Amino acid sequence: MSGDDEYQIETTLCMIQTVHVFQIPPRSSSGGHRANDWTREVWDGKLKIVQKGSTATVYLLDKHNNNEFAQAPVVEGAVEKCTDSSRYFVLRCVNQKDANQRAFIGLAFNERND
């Protein structure tokens, strides 16, 4: 571990108490994902965005015990807006143990301002 890595500051950029996760169908057109097509909610909990050094990560956490449900490094293409809603997004999650393993999930906020 280099000296710089040892002393990086970790900052919570955002914490949202309630978000909803959906299993999403394959994109039906090149126009993008439509929230109206999402019918299967699979989880709800908290969203936390953490910055450490020059990287940021979205964490989805259990609202009772803070266990991690999923994480998504914030890189280009990690978040995609839905074409029919300002509260729904597609999030590209990455397996911590195998970065080649990815899952696309639907993410919904209760309020537009979230």
Side-chain angles (χ1 to χ4, degrees), residues 59-112:
Y59 293 96
L60 300 177
L61 305 170
D62 184 278
K63 58 184 158 187
H64 302 291
N65 59 20
N66 286 331
N67 285 343
E68 185 179 305
F69 173 74
Q71 68 173 263
V74 179
V75 295
E76 188 168 337
V79 180
E80 182 182 334
K81 291 171 48 174
C82 281
T83 59
D84 61 340
S85 176
S86 60
R87 298 182 306 117
Y88 287 73
F89 298 84
V90 175
L91 186 65
R92 182 178 67 195
C93 298
V94 177
N95 185 334
Q96 253 184 304
K97 296 176 179 132
D98 181 359
N100 292 322
Q101 245 184 2
R102 299 181 183 108
F104 291 88
I105 60 173
L107 181 67
F109 297 97
N110 286 338
E111 303 291 330
R112 285 186 185 148

Side-chain angles (χ1 to χ4, degrees), residues 10-39:
E10 186 172 289
T11 305
T12 298
L13 301 176
C14 178
M15 175 71 89
I16 297 174
Q17 293 303 315
T18 304
V19 296
H20 307 274
V21 171
F22 292 83
Q23 180 179 353
I24 58 174
R27 189 184 310 181
S28 60
S29 72
S30 62
H33 288 278
R34 294 177 34 84
N36 195 45
D37 298 335
W38 302 355
T39 57

